[in-house]
Amino acid sequence: MTPAELAEVDSTVMACIKARRPIFIHNIVKESKKAQNKRRYTELSEDTGADMGSLVCYPVKYGYKNDIPYVITVKTDLKNHLKPDGLYEWIIERFVNRMLLEHSLFILWEKSL
């Protein structure tokens, strides 16, 4: 997706940032059929077949203000593939810890210049 598509109000990434918590969509087709104001998914072109499966968006919170500089997104072509939520949160958290370390090091490097 393009950055503009990710920044759509009804996109999963924006719902994740707004809620400040992980968003799990176990059935993208079912989610895309919801009313526009309740949907947490931006539909892609119907010809691509990309609107099938499961999706998780996980916010990477940084610092004492809990800013969200990154959002990890994982998509699979199988519906209900990302269950149980707790297991995937535990796995993603390992990547989040590394990303936070790298982000901190990048900030320190920028300040040293």
Side-chain angles (χ1 to χ4, degrees), residues 69-95:
Y70 311 105
V71 175
I72 298 171
T73 304
V74 178
K75 183 193 175 292
T76 179
D77 292 336
L78 303 171
K79 67 180 181 179
N80 298 319
H81 194 79
L82 298 171
K83 288 185 176 181
D85 297 354
L87 175 63
Y88 284 91
E89 286 187 55
W90 181 83
I91 292 168
I92 293 171
E93 194 62 35
R94 303 300 160 266
F95 290 97

Side-chain angles (χ1 to χ4, degrees), residues 1-8 11 13 41-44:
M1 294 182 76
T2 66
E5 290 172 324
L6 292 172
E8 290 286 328
S11 75
V13 171
Y41 182 77
T42 301
E43 293 182 66
L44 298 174

Side-chain angles (χ1 to χ4, degrees), residues 12-23 57-71 89 93:
T12 312
V13 171
M14 294 307 290
C16 175
I17 291 170
K18 184 178 178 183
R20 305 184 63 73
R21 63 176 178 76
I23 301 289
C57 280
Y58 197 96
V60 177
K61 298 175 188 171
Y62 179 77
Y64 65 93
K65 291 183 181 178
N66 280 333
D67 294 333
I68 301 176
Y70 311 105
V71 175
E89 286 187 55
E93 194 62 35

